[in-house]
């Protein structure tokens, strides 16, 4: 069977993990570059298949934060080598397995002092409903 160590891999919501983010949403194959992503949701798809909704992370123009994006300072984490802008509008469901996720990198939660920005932008893009 396809049972792997990764099936037991868990990625809590709010975790910064590293994934081979597909270059094209049309072609669901792992991308060529390992990049930081932010876990937004995790769902069990049945048959032991679990998927994580992840937001794209990039070190390009971390100062350009707009609707749906915020930057996490590298100084606040061990997971990031450079300041990284997470774009909550660029998100995909990926299978929680080693084809897409690098288990060698430790996962780390969004630093507390970045949670307000994360939550604000999650609301802005409709990921989180306000009461």
């Amino acid at each position: 069977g396809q049972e792997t160590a990764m099936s037991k891999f868990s990625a809590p919501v709010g975790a910064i993990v590293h994934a081979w983010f597909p270059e094209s949403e049309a072609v669901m194959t792992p991308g060529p570059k390992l990049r930081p992503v932010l876990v937004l949701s995790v769902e069990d798809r049945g048959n032991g298949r679990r998927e994580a909704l992840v937001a794209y992370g990039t070190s390009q123009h971390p100062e350009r934060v707009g609707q749906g994006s915020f930057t996490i300072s590298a100084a606040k984490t061990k997971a990031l080598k450079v300041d990284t802008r997470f774009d909550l509008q660029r998100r995909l469901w990926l299978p929680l397995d080693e084809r897409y996720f690098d288990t060698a990198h430790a996962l780390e939660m969004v630093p507390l002092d970045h949670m307000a920005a994360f939550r604000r932008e999650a609301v802005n893009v409709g990921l989180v409903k306000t009461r």
Side-chain angles (χ1 to χ4, degrees):
Q2 281 283 11
E3 276 309 293
T4 60
M6 195 62 170
S7 323
K8 295 170 187 52
F9 176 71
S10 69
V13 172
I16 300 162
V17 295
H18 288 77
W20 282 273
F21 196 92
E23 293 207 307
S24 161
E25 284 78 353
V27 184
M28 279 305 287
T29 57
K33 187 177 173 201
L34 191 63
R35 59 176 59 255
V37 295
L38 186 58
V39 178
L40 303 174
S41 183
V42 176
E43 285 187 13
D44 202 325
R45 301 292 192 200
N47 301 341
R49 281 181 47 243
R50 295 174 69 229
E51 292 186 356
L53 180 63
V54 297
Y56 183 84
T58 180
S59 57
Q60 299 294 310
H61 305 291
E63 74 288 350
R64 277 194 206 156
V65 291
Q67 181 77 9
S69 69
F70 72 102
T71 294
I72 293 180
S73 158
K76 301 277 183 181
T77 71
K78 289 184 209 52
L80 303 171
K81 291 180 184 64
V82 293
D83 292 356
T84 301
R85 180 171 48 88
F86 290 94
D87 183 352
L88 303 186
Q89 298 195 90
R90 186 167 177 195
R91 56 189 189 262
L92 287 178
W93 284 99
L94 299 177
L96 262 178
D97 66 39
E98 67 282 343
R99 289 173 315 147
Y100 287 93
F101 291 90
D102 178 20
T103 50
H105 279 82
L107 61 81
E108 189 170 358
M109 299 305 287
V110 169
L112 282 175
D113 54 357
H114 289 70
M115 285 306 280
F118 175 23
R119 180 164 173 79
R120 181 183 65 241
E121 297 312 325
V123 168
N124 282 344
V125 300
L127 280 169
V128 174
K129 305 286 181 257
T130 54
R131 285 179 184 51

